[in-house]
Amino acid sequence: IKVLDIKTVLVPMTQLKTPPGGVRTIGVLALQGAFEEHEAMFKKLPQHLVDQFRVIQVRKIEELDACEALVIPGGESTTMKIIAGTDEFMAKLRAYVHGGPGADGEKRKPRPVWGTCAGCIMLSEDVVNTIGQGGQEQPAKRCKYGDPVGGLDVATCRNFFGRQAQSFEAAVVAGAKGDGKDAEARREAFDHFPAVFIRAPAILRAGDSVRELAKVVHPSITSGPGAEGVTVAAESDQILVTTFHPELTNDHRIHQYFVEKFVLKI
């Protein structure tokens, strides 16, 4: 696991320069987790898309201001909050997601964000620690390192499929319903995606503003929550979450979906 001391990282001035006109900036939160893998995956997209954006690693609040979209990678959500505890980073991250002033004091609207695994937990409005006998949820205790960022109206259960030893790979099934260009794009991006689940959470409930994008059936879950498939990807108009790690596969469909729908809004 990559862990960086945020206090010792200098912001490269070339990274904060305004890109050429029309080029969007995608930030990848580079505090801890698989941020390099996300960056590499974006660079594998078709050239006509790559020409329209650049990717920077985000470790300082000034770098958040430079981004039109952000990825919060997998890793460990509590560790991320510990590392980000300086320079009011978490407060500015919440302002990035919900809307509010940046490091420069300028108020901005909510911007697109994609959270994978731990990033999904950070963006969830409600977090559940475990599912007990009879399907009873055990609410998460308040973290002494701060509350989640929130923003997406979902309840997410940490380590739903088990600990590190229970990590697995499985193809997900697209849950997108309906007709039209948007529904078809969702199905093309998510159906039969070869997902990697590492101490993965799962989405237990979703509000009316949330679209459920994909489910997975785990062979060891034969009864109770998840027996007929559990939600592992969802979105609102500004936020995308996946409880698995698309960046650890050779399939760039979901990265392309994020760029086309959330960043370039094609």
Side-chain angles (χ1 to χ4, degrees):
I1 296 176
K2 306 178 185 72
V3 179
L4 299 176
D5 182 353
I6 192 172
K7 293 178 287 187
T8 65
V9 178
L10 298 177
V11 181
M13 294 306 297
T14 55
Q15 183 162 294
L16 294 182
K17 288 183 178 179
T18 303
V23 174
R24 302 297 183 92
T25 299
I26 301 173
V28 181
L29 194 64
L31 303 180
Q32 186 252 358
F35 53 87
E36 291 179 341
E37 289 82 356
H38 270 293
E39 185 174 6
M41 188 64 82
F42 280 120
K43 293 178 180 178
K44 294 180 181 179
L45 298 186
Q47 193 62 46
H48 75 278
L49 294 176
V50 173
D51 290 342
Q52 299 183 66
F53 68 87
R54 66 168 183 164
V55 180
I56 67 171
Q57 295 182 7
V58 174
R59 301 184 180 92
K60 292 289 187 179
I61 55 177
E62 294 83 1
E63 293 169 315
L64 274 177
D65 289 351
C67 300
E68 278 97 11
L70 182 70
V71 177
I72 304 178
E76 212 293 315
S77 57
T78 301
T79 302
M80 289 186 195
K81 286 190 285 187
I82 294 171
I83 298 170
T86 60
D87 299 325
E88 300 181 340
F89 196 97
M90 289 300 294
K92 296 305 180 187
L93 185 57
R94 291 188 187 95
Y96 188 98
V97 175
H98 296 274
D104 58 5
E106 180 181 343
K107 287 189 177 181
R108 294 176 174 84
K109 295 180 179 180
R111 282 159 285 178
V113 185
W114 173 17
T116 63
C117 197
C120 172
I121 294 172
M122 292 182 72
L123 292 170
S124 299
E125 285 291 335
D126 188 18
V127 178
V128 175
N129 263 351
T130 58
I131 303 294
Q133 292 183 346
Q136 293 183 333
E137 299 175 6
Q138 305 297 318
K141 296 180 180 178
R142 188 182 186 281
C143 178
K144 65 180 180 180
Y145 298 107
D147 296 324
V149 174
L152 189 67
D153 186 15
V154 294
T156 299
C157 180
R158 297 175 182 269
N159 303 323
F160 180 86
F161 300 101
R163 307 297 292 181
Q164 191 82 17
Q166 283 76 51
S167 299
F168 67 101
E169 298 182 22
V172 303
V173 178
K177 299 178 182 178
D179 300 318
K181 178 181 176 182
D182 289 346
E184 183 61 28
R186 295 178 197 124
R187 285 191 288 268
E188 288 180 358
F190 287 91
D191 205 23
H192 301 295
F193 190 92
V196 177
F197 295 87
I198 303 174
R199 290 182 60 190
I203 297 169
L204 305 180
R205 298 186 304 279
D208 293 339
S209 64
V210 177
R211 293 176 290 274
E212 298 181 36
L213 299 176
K215 291 189 175 186
V216 73
V217 177
H218 194 289
S220 69
I221 302 176
T222 57
S223 62
E228 297 182 0
V230 63
T231 300
V232 292
E235 68 176 7
S236 65
D237 290 341
Q238 292 289 338
I239 297 175
L240 171 67
V241 295
T242 54
T243 71
F244 51 92
H245 292 264
E247 76 280 8
L248 300 183
T249 73
N250 292 318
D251 192 328
H252 59 61
R253 281 183 290 157
I254 298 178
H255 283 78
Q256 183 165 337
Y257 178 79
F258 180 69
V259 168
E260 291 180 339
K261 177 172 182 180
F262 290 87
V263 182
L264 302 180
K265 301 185 184 300
I266 297 175

